[in-house]
Amino acid sequence: MVLEIVQYGHPVLRKKCRPVEEVTDKIRQLAEDMIETMRDAHGVGLAAPQVARDIRMAVIDVSHDPECISFLKVNGEDAELASIMPLVFINPEIDFGKAKESDTEGCLSIQGINADVRRPESVKAKLPQLDGGVLEIETDGLLARALQHEIDHLNGVLFVDRLNAAAKLSVKRKLKRLLEENGY
Ligand code: NI
């Protein structure tokens, strides 16, 4: 089922989400619905607060572009991107590489705004799975960026919070208009 994606200004987007304590059928269904919702919206990632659930779960699918990363290790072994997509995870832990890079981001909850965000270019993430397993992923490129963007959502952080001062200023008016359009 395609769910409604809440928009900028909705208070749930600013919540620090709580851990998923138990994987119930409801959680599994929500994960499926989130994948369907992400695809329907042509997004590469979606976090639970974006469908108004304040829990630490997100989905990612960057398989449209196998070239969007330069490496991927899953549990210490080289792996194909397609083998872990779509990616669903709960209660993630993430470590950041030292080098940073800028790239354009957008968000399904912030319509019509794209801007460059500077972030660590590689990450190492521990991603508990719904079946009780854990994927340990090391990667860069779009997957590293999407993991950081979605995990930010679970902490109530949006990509527009991470813009440099000039970019913040340039989207300020658009964000204000979004708040008004979205009824906040
Ligand atoms: Ni987003």
Side-chain angles (χ1 to χ4, degrees):
M1 186 173 71
V2 173
L3 306 170
E4 187 190 338
I5 298 175
V6 303
Q7 293 300 308
Y8 184 70
H10 192 296
V12 74
L13 293 175
R14 289 305 189 182
K15 278 197 140 178
K16 179 152 172 72
C17 298
R18 50 199 166 81
V20 174
E21 306 280 3
E22 192 192 354
V23 178
T24 58
D25 285 346
K26 222 170 135 183
I27 293 285
R28 275 185 279 266
Q29 183 62 51
L30 176 61
E32 268 182 44
D33 289 344
M34 284 172 60
I35 290 170
E36 203 180 327
T37 304
M38 168 179 67
R39 288 186 169 151
D40 179 70
H42 306 288
V44 296
L46 188 69
Q50 294 183 274
V51 291
R53 272 69 161 188
D54 62 337
I55 57 169
R56 303 185 81 76
M57 179 161 80
V59 300
I60 289 175
D61 193 344
V62 295
S63 58
H64 66 286
D65 181 8
E67 308 282 296
C68 73
I69 55 169
S70 71
F71 77 102
L72 173 64
K73 278 188 190 292
V74 177
N75 301 330
E77 311 255 351
D78 290 331
E80 292 291 326
L81 190 58
S83 70
I84 54 162
M85 295 290 144
L87 184 60
V88 176
F89 56 88
I90 55 175
N91 310 335
E93 290 172 38
I94 188 164
D95 288 317
F96 307 103
K98 282 208 176 70
K100 294 195 174 185
E101 71 179 353
S102 283
D103 208 345
T104 306
E105 291 187 29
C107 179
L108 295 175
S109 294
I110 309 178
Q111 299 286 337
I113 296 183
N114 292 283
D116 275 8
V117 185
R118 192 169 156 81
R119 295 186 187 268
E121 81 182 10
S122 66
V123 298
K124 188 170 179 176
K126 226 182 230 182
L127 307 175
Q129 301 292 290
L130 297 184
D131 66 5
V134 179
L135 285 185
E136 205 170 283
I137 288 181
E138 290 177 70
T139 192
D140 65 353
L142 182 59
L143 180 53
R145 186 165 290 274
L147 282 164
Q148 294 176 73
H149 179 118
E150 300 314 327
I151 293 171
D152 268 355
H153 270 299
L154 306 182
N155 295 317
V157 175
L158 302 172
F159 84 95
V160 290
D161 304 336
R162 295 200 179 276
L163 304 181
N164 65 32
K168 255 187 194 153
L169 198 62
S170 79
V171 301
K172 199 175 165 189
R173 204 182 304 166
K174 273 193 194 166
L175 283 174
K176 195 168 167 243
R177 198 180 317 139
L178 277 183
L179 283 185
E180 288 162 9
E181 282 171 16
N182 298 337
Y184 295 100

